[in-house]
Amino acid sequence: LAAASAATPNPVNLGNVRVGTASPTQALSISNTAVGPAEGLNASISTSSPGLTATGSFASLQAGNTNSTNLVVGMNTATAGSKNGTATIALVSDGTYNSGVPTPLASQNITVNGAVYQIAQANTLPTTLNLGTLRTGSVVNTALSISNVAVGPVGYTENLGASFVSTSAGVVGTGGPITGLAAGGAPSTAMGIQYTAGAAGAYTGSAVVHFDTQAVNGSGLGILGIGNQTVGVNATVDALAVADLQHTSGYSFSPTGADSAILDFGTITQGSNTVQAVFDMLNNITGQADLLTGLIDASAFATTPFGLLGNTSFSLGDQAASVFDVTFNTNSSTGFFTELLVVDVNSYNSTQGALVLTPYDLTVEGTIRAAQTGGGGVPDSGAAWLLLGLGLASLGFVRRWAV
């Protein structure tokens, strides 16, 4: 009869691999150890262990010979998990000296060990971050929510890692890298995108995030890159609104600072009716910019001869203006009057709302003097000409305001 040696290697260690990689295999070596003349050795291998493969056979291996190629064990790498089990070698003496009737020999069990690991999988990041409208110089930080959404058995599903690869001008990747993010665990917000608004206009940029899968359970599989995702960054960048109070006509206007001035009506004879100075509140910026919004606070005028005509609120695009008049009623009592007109201004956009700018303080002053008369209550000629001139002058100022 044929005689079989112990198959080698036994046990077989197929090692650790990742899902989808080529299946590791191991060919077994077995000899016919009978001393001739002797029958040939037949062998075949099979397994019922899930996740393992066992293929091959040979026939009539002569005494003293060895087969090291036909009997092969391996494992299925389509799914993750432990691949431990056994394969069985069936052995037969081929019946050469028994009228062709084979004689079964004792089978051999081969222990097979191995494992397959599921690679990590990143969630899908936003394709684009639309940051809306931002003022030049604004800094916006947006956290990225990164998760390992891989599905696999516990202990055989790898961790996720993430890091920034590149960013466009104006965009900075903050935080990271992330390592060891377990499947099914809480998302990490340790990485984010910071955008600093530059020049006014439309902005388009991006940040590229790289992901890798990281070995677990001491598998020795190391770190493997699993691709990148690109997150776009879009914004409309506004220049800051620029408040510019412009005196267009009427009386003396003297700036006293970047955001203050004096309007002086001078000295006017009582009874010269109401006179006015005309102003434009201008958003003095050109191009993509915030609206200039605000209110004119004339509450302090309530007990004075001064008044306000026109719009008390405004919302102005670039190079747009709102017209208003400051009036002086000379029919009031005589004396020197002064009061403060405050223009509260904001730079406004729909995303960030209102940014308070420095208010504009306009000090308004003027003197009403008594009308001069001659004897018997008849004005002297000089006073009469003065009154006539003032009357003609007042007719020359046409009151105008925005409606």
Side-chain angles (χ1 to χ4, degrees):
L1 295 177
S5 68
T8 59
N10 189 14
V12 174
N13 184 7
L14 295 177
N16 300 315
V17 297
R18 291 185 168 107
V19 167
T21 58
S23 172
T25 59
Q26 176 65 59
L28 302 176
S29 180
I30 193 167
S31 302
N32 185 350
T33 60
V35 177
E39 292 186 342
L41 179 66
N42 298 345
S44 63
I45 191 168
S46 62
T47 181
S48 60
S49 297
L52 294 183
T53 61
T55 59
S57 63
F58 60 81
S60 299
L61 180 67
Q62 296 302 300
N65 289 344
T66 300
N67 185 292
S68 300
T69 58
N70 288 47
L71 305 180
V72 179
V73 293
M75 61 182 177
N76 185 344
T77 63
T79 58
S82 170
K83 304 299 179 177
N84 298 335
T86 58
T88 300
I89 302 174
L91 298 167
V92 175
S93 185
D94 68 3
T96 300
Y97 298 109
N98 190 27
S99 303
V101 178
T103 302
L105 303 177
S107 62
Q108 295 183 28
N109 289 328
I110 307 299
T111 299
V112 182
N113 299 318
V116 178
Y117 288 82
Q118 173 64 51
I119 64 173
Q121 181 181 349
N123 62 310
T124 301
L125 299 181
T127 303
T128 304
L129 298 178
N130 291 306
L131 302 181
T133 301
L134 304 171
R135 299 180 192 96
T136 295
S138 297
V139 178
V140 178
N141 289 287
T142 304
L144 297 177
S145 180
I146 296 176
S147 302
N148 184 353
V149 296
V151 177
V154 175
Y156 294 91
T157 304
E158 295 190 323
N159 291 337
L160 180 70
S163 60
F164 285 106
V165 175
S166 62
T167 56
S168 302
V171 172
V172 175
T174 61
I178 294 172
T179 60
L181 194 58
S188 172
T189 56
M191 291 173 59
I193 292 176
Q194 182 183 86
Y195 170 63
T196 301
Y203 175 83
T204 301
S206 64
V208 180
V209 181
H210 173 76
F211 296 99
D212 52 52
T213 186
Q214 301 172 343
V216 296
N217 204 25
S219 69
L221 292 176
I223 296 174
L224 176 68
I226 55 174
N228 301 333
Q229 292 188 40
T230 299
V231 180
V233 179
N234 294 342
T236 299
V237 181
D238 275 5
L240 200 68
V242 177
D244 185 4
L245 183 64
Q246 297 188 341
H247 175 238
T248 59
S249 65
Y251 299 91
S252 173
F253 178 79
S254 303
T256 57
D259 303 292
S260 61
I262 296 174
L263 171 63
D264 186 3
F265 282 102
T267 300
I268 302 177
T269 301
Q270 187 180 36
S272 299
N273 297 320
T274 298
V275 296
Q276 64 272 333
V278 183
F279 292 89
D280 284 343
M281 175 50 73
L282 173 68
N283 186 1
N284 199 4
I285 190 72
T286 300
Q288 184 69 43
D290 273 7
L291 296 173
L292 179 68
T293 63
L295 296 169
I296 302 174
D297 182 6
S299 58
F301 284 178
T303 59
T304 72
F306 303 123
L308 181 69
L309 292 176
N311 292 329
T312 58
S313 64
F314 48 85
S315 180
L316 307 171
D318 64 307
Q319 292 302 313
S322 179
V323 182
F324 67 93
D325 296 351
V326 177
T327 62
F328 188 31
N329 182 3
T330 66
N331 296 330
S332 301
S333 59
T334 60
F336 173 74
F337 301 91
T338 183
E339 197 49 80
L340 183 65
L341 179 72
V342 179
V343 183
D344 294 313
V345 287
N346 308 293
S347 187
Y348 176 85
N349 65 59
S350 59
T351 301
Q352 296 173 301
L355 174 67
V356 177
L357 304 178
T358 303
Y360 198 100
D361 293 338
L362 180 64
T363 300
V364 182
E365 59 185 35
T367 300
I368 301 174
R369 69 182 177 190
Q372 297 180 2
T373 58
V378 178
D380 59 31
S381 58
W385 281 110
L386 177 60
L387 291 172
L388 177 60
L390 289 172
L392 291 173
S394 66
L395 291 174
F397 289 104
V398 179
R399 184 173 57 201
R400 64 188 182 92
W401 56 87
V403 293

